[in-house]
Amino acid sequence: MMEQIPLFIGGVWRNTHPNESIPVVNPATEEQIGLIAKASLTDIEDAAIAAEKGFAAWKQVSALERATIMHKAANLIRERAEHIARTLTIEHGKPLAEAMGEVGATADTIDWHAEEGRRTYGRVIPSRALGVHQFTLMEPIGPVVGFAPWNFPLIQAVKKVAGALAAGCSIILKGATEAPTCAVELVKAFADAGVSPGAVNLLFGDSGQISEHLIAHPSIRKVTFTGSTPVGKKLASLAGLHMKRSTMELGGHAPVIVMDDADIATAVKISVAAKYRNAGQVCVSPTRFLVHSKVFDEFVSRFVDGARAIKVGDGLDPQVNMGPMAHRGRLKATEELVADAVSQGAKLETGGNRVGDRGYFFEPTVLTNVPVTALAMIDEPFGPIALINSFDDIDEAIKEANRLPYGLSAYAYTRSLSSANKLFNGIESGAISINHHSVALPEHPFGGVKDSGYGTEGGPGALDAFMTTKFVSLASVL
Ligand SMILES: NC(=O)C1=CN([C@@H]2O[C@H](COP(=O)(O)OP(=O)(O)OC[C@H]3O[C@@H](n4cnc5c(N)ncnc54)[C@H](OP(=O)(O)O)[C@@H]3O)[C@@H](O)[C@H]2O)C=CC1
Ligand SMILES: O=C(O)CCCCC(=O)O
């Protein structure tokens, strides 16, 4: 039996006619494993109306009760973790251990936002006049539409859903087509935990149609998107046109600066694991390695050994460290990026080829001496490709780090406090990790600068993105 993946609108699961379905493919086997209900315009409009009703109900639920319901949802995710992780691996391709990590992080993200929802404090403002009380209230902005990407279809979905619900908003989540079941499980956990009908809704389908209809819709007050920079610019323009608040978490092309005083063995060990995690389909993936010429040969040699030691295969195999690319398009794009770099003079140190002829597997790849005109040095590679070049001077490295319009994440390795200081002040990025690789935890603000977008998810200001400030000036009646 083919798995049927439904929509969720106004507290009711809804299937569409099988002719209006989108196939789900296992990227490790290329077998069709499911059919997703594709939302019609009527479904999309119904979701907007449901989200408006859901907002009216959910904002009346006390912050404490909302937190209790959200904690219950987090625990349901934990209870169902094995099933959710397994389907995530089958649909997306990532190794089971990575999928389990994503499920665990999802539950933690819900818990963290639930508690933040109990602390949406306003401020008291000393008034200039006697008998006048002035203060601010933080109010939920209203129904939100959130778009989850396919690379982390669960953790990037929950940041939007948990943020909205904790603030007292309702949300329509557009789930990732490549790995839809985890979005269904996420929404199911909230429904089973007792969120108001319509507070969480789930759509799949034509992302262009969904975004155009909902961003323009008068009921929708906020859009939050994780995905590519070109699509983000389009949605941000649409949001501007309709005066909707937006958060845009877009692409990256993270530089990694390795100084000559760094612990090279550690830098390589951390970087190899981070580079090939999720087959490199990570917006904060370390990508442009800029290595001091004095340690370049040692770094490359160790890195190549690390890349060759990675076992590629079906993510359900516990021995596997790297699964397939999530969809056929990424495989083709990765092949093209490697061919282009080599044709422009880059040296292929290892990898560079598709693995087998079934499944979207690609070898962990290392390219060195890559010209800055190579496409991989300009566009986000979003695949298992490490690009390693050398530098002699820290200012030169910072200049190269800032060359691209992206500014999401950056990494550096050095034992010198003065170099570290220069690097974290000089590099234009939303985040920088020095001497380790910090993953995005719920308490960390996550977002980019320049073409990597604006606004942050998580961290101390997580709920601000879903709230408005109301100023109240109250005079006593004389
Ligand atoms: N920042 C990040 O985490 C991510 C970055 N990317 C970047 O995007 C590149 C290409 O990814 P790819 O999926 O092939 O291409 P796209 O740029 O077409 O799609 C990127 C994401 O945006 C969604 N999307 C596309 N058009 C619209 C729209 N009009 N309205 C709303 N959502 C839309 C897609 O959903 P759908 O597939 O349903 O159309 C998908 O999730 C990657 O190489 C990477 O650089 C991609 C995913 C995540
Ligand atoms: O959307 C992305 O690609 C970034 C997700 C980061 C997740 C993590 O570092 O754990």
Side-chain angles (χ1 to χ4, degrees):
M1 280 285 285
M2 193 76 75
E3 183 83 30
Q4 300 285 327
I5 292 131
L7 313 175
F8 190 64
I9 299 171
V12 178
W13 294 100
R14 188 183 288 194
N15 263 307
T16 52
H17 191 276
N19 290 349
E20 289 298 315
S21 301
I22 307 165
V24 187
V25 172
N26 178 339
T29 62
E30 298 187 42
E31 281 162 5
Q32 189 179 324
I33 50 172
L35 280 174
I36 311 175
K38 182 179 173 202
S40 65
L41 199 53
T42 307
D43 297 321
I44 300 170
E45 177 60 23
D46 288 352
I49 293 164
E52 198 173 338
K53 288 189 185 146
F55 174 55
W58 184 245
K59 74 174 175 186
Q60 298 300 336
V61 177
S62 74
L64 181 63
E65 179 61 10
R66 286 202 299 255
T68 305
I69 293 171
M70 290 180 70
H71 286 309
K72 197 167 165 196
N75 288 333
L76 289 172
I77 297 275
R78 289 190 183 97
E79 280 168 24
R80 301 167 185 174
E82 260 181 55
H83 164 70
I84 302 173
R86 202 178 153 77
T87 56
L88 180 52
T89 292
I90 293 170
E91 292 179 352
H92 179 278
K94 62 182 71 190
L96 201 48
E98 288 185 24
M100 278 300 276
E102 190 166 343
V103 177
T106 296
D108 290 350
T109 298
I110 299 172
D111 279 338
W112 188 84
H113 281 84
E115 289 305 306
E116 286 297 284
R118 298 176 61 191
R119 294 187 275 268
T120 55
Y121 305 126
R123 304 284 296 258
V124 173
I125 297 164
S127 162
R128 293 185 181 197
L130 276 180
V132 175
H133 299 282
Q134 298 188 321
F135 52 93
T136 59
L137 292 176
M138 297 300 287
E139 295 190 326
I141 191 166
V144 175
V145 59
F147 295 89
W150 49 262
N151 60 334
F152 287 97
L154 190 53
I155 192 71
Q156 294 295 14
V158 75
K159 286 182 187 178
K160 293 156 184 62
V161 175
L165 290 178
C169 299
S170 60
I171 183 160
I172 302 171
L173 174 69
K174 153 67 176 68
T177 314
E178 286 77 2
T181 303
C182 59
V184 169
E185 290 292 340
L186 179 67
V187 166
K188 194 164 176 291
F190 282 110
D192 292 350
V195 295
S196 313
V200 184
N201 306 276
L202 177 65
L203 294 178
F204 295 106
D206 178 340
S207 51
Q209 187 186 35
I210 293 172
S211 55
E212 272 167 41
H213 190 79
L214 291 182
I215 294 173
H217 200 288
S219 299
I220 300 298
R221 298 296 175 84
K222 150 110 194 169
V223 51
T224 170
F225 171 80
T226 300
S228 64
T229 295
V231 176
K233 286 185 175 176
K234 202 168 143 187
L235 299 195
S237 310
L238 207 53
L241 188 67
H242 296 283
M243 200 48 77
K244 304 293 166 77
R245 280 254 295 273
S246 62
T247 300
M248 293 288 147
E249 198 275 279
L250 310 177
H253 203 300
V256 185
I257 296 182
V258 183
M259 301 298 294
D260 56 351
D261 60 1
D263 175 344
I264 302 301
T266 303
V268 169
K269 189 167 173 238
I270 295 171
S271 298
V272 167
K275 176 69 258 177
Y276 301 111
R277 172 178 168 234
N278 211 24
Q281 302 161 119
V282 183
C283 55
V284 296
S285 186
T287 294
R288 267 175 303 150
F289 291 87
L290 309 168
V291 182
H292 196 281
S293 56
K294 285 189 188 154
V295 289
F296 182 77
D297 290 344
E298 181 191 352
F299 186 91
V300 171
S301 153
R302 285 180 184 268
F303 203 104
V304 167
D305 289 348
R308 287 187 180 144
I310 287 186
K311 182 160 188 249
V312 179
D314 190 324
L316 290 177
D317 176 347
Q319 305 301 318
V320 157
N321 316 110
M322 192 179 101
M325 314 288 294
H327 61 80
R328 183 178 285 284
R330 289 318 310 153
L331 183 63
K332 186 165 172 283
T334 309
E335 285 173 325
E336 284 170 6
L337 288 175
V338 173
D340 170 76
V342 171
S343 77
Q344 293 204 42
K347 183 173 176 207
L348 182 62
E349 301 278 354
T350 189
N353 296 300
R354 182 178 182 184
V355 179
D357 55 6
R358 195 163 176 78
Y360 311 140
F361 299 101
F362 199 84
E363 292 173 320
T365 297
V366 179
L367 290 160
T368 55
N369 302 315
V370 194
V372 292
T373 50
L375 289 175
M377 290 291 280
I378 299 167
D379 297 332
E380 183 176 29
F382 228 59
I385 310 176
L387 308 160
I388 313 181
N389 284 348
S390 66
F391 72 90
D392 290 308
D393 174 68
I394 188 166
D395 292 319
E396 181 197 332
I398 292 173
K399 193 168 169 214
E400 164 55 22
N402 293 338
R403 173 178 56 89
L404 294 179
Y406 293 112
L408 189 59
S409 204
Y411 308 91
Y413 293 86
T414 178
R415 286 188 170 97
S416 152
L417 197 51
S418 128
S419 296
N421 193 46
K422 198 161 187 182
L423 290 163
F424 74 68
N425 278 304
I427 293 178
E428 298 163 352
S429 62
I432 181 164
S433 299
I434 299 182
N435 294 327
H436 79 135
H437 184 97
S438 172
V439 293
L441 298 175
E443 63 271 26
H444 300 165
F446 186 86
V449 297
K450 306 199 299 188
D451 274 8
S452 293
Y454 44 67
T456 49
E457 293 183 318
L463 300 197
D464 294 351
F466 297 97
M467 306 198 87
T468 53
T469 304
K470 179 179 276 176
F471 172 62
V472 180
S473 188
L474 173 69
S476 313
V477 178
L478 296 175

